[in-house]
Amino acid sequence: GYASGNNELAKEWLQETFIKVWKHRNSFKEKSSIDTWIYRIAVNVCLGDLRKPRKNITINEDLLSNSNYDDNIDNNEGNIKKMYHCIDQLNEQNKALILLELEN
C-alpha cells in the first residue's frame, strides 16, 4: 500500500524488511506474534524511506526558452516551492501521506 503500485519500490522495501528481520531476529521477545513483529518492521521500513528528503525537481530553462509558457512556468515553479514549504511544516505522518499522494 505504501508503494502505491510501484513494484520496484515494493520489492526494495520487502528486501530491506527481510534484512532487518534477519539482523534483529535475536531481539524478538515473543510479547506479540511474529507476524505483528515483522509487520511493524515493514511499516517502519516504508515510512522511514518515505521520510527521506526527496530530490527537488528542477526545470531545464534551455528546453523552455522557446516556449510560450515561460511566465506560467515561473509562476508554477514558485507555487510548487511554496507548496513543498507548506508540506515541510506538517508532522512526519501527515507529510508522508501528502507526499505519497503527490508522488503516486
Side-chain angles (χ1 to χ4, degrees):
Y2 289 108
S4 296
N6 183 337
N7 289 334
E8 292 303 314
L9 183 60
K11 288 177 185 178
E12 182 180 320
W13 287 346
L14 178 64
Q15 183 176 16
E16 183 65 27
T17 298
F18 283 133
I19 290 169
K20 287 185 182 274
V21 166
W22 180 256
K23 283 182 179 178
H24 302 286
R25 66 189 183 280
N26 293 331
S27 69
F28 178 60
K29 295 181 174 68
E30 298 183 31
K31 292 182 180 178
S32 62
S33 73
I34 189 86
D35 297 348
T36 302
W37 184 69
I38 293 172
Y39 174 79
R40 280 306 319 159
I41 292 172
V43 167
N44 289 339
V45 165
C46 296
L47 292 178
D49 191 58
L50 289 172
R51 288 181 183 131
K52 288 180 184 176
R54 301 288 177 214
K55 294 179 182 177
N56 289 336
I57 298 171
T58 57
I59 298 174
N60 186 338
E61 296 296 328
D62 294 334
L63 295 175
L64 299 173
S65 62
N66 295 330
S67 173
N68 295 329
Y69 302 107
D70 285 342
D71 293 336
N72 288 337
I73 288 171
D74 289 338
N75 190 29
N76 287 341
E77 189 174 40
N79 287 338
I80 289 171
K81 286 180 182 179
K82 287 177 189 176
M83 179 184 68
Y84 275 98
H85 176 73
C86 291
I87 291 170
D88 284 337
Q89 305 302 313
L90 298 171
N91 67 42
E92 290 299 317
Q93 185 178 17
N94 288 336
K95 186 189 304 185
L97 289 171
I98 295 296
L99 292 174
L100 184 65
E101 179 65 29
L102 287 174
E103 297 175 4
N104 292 327

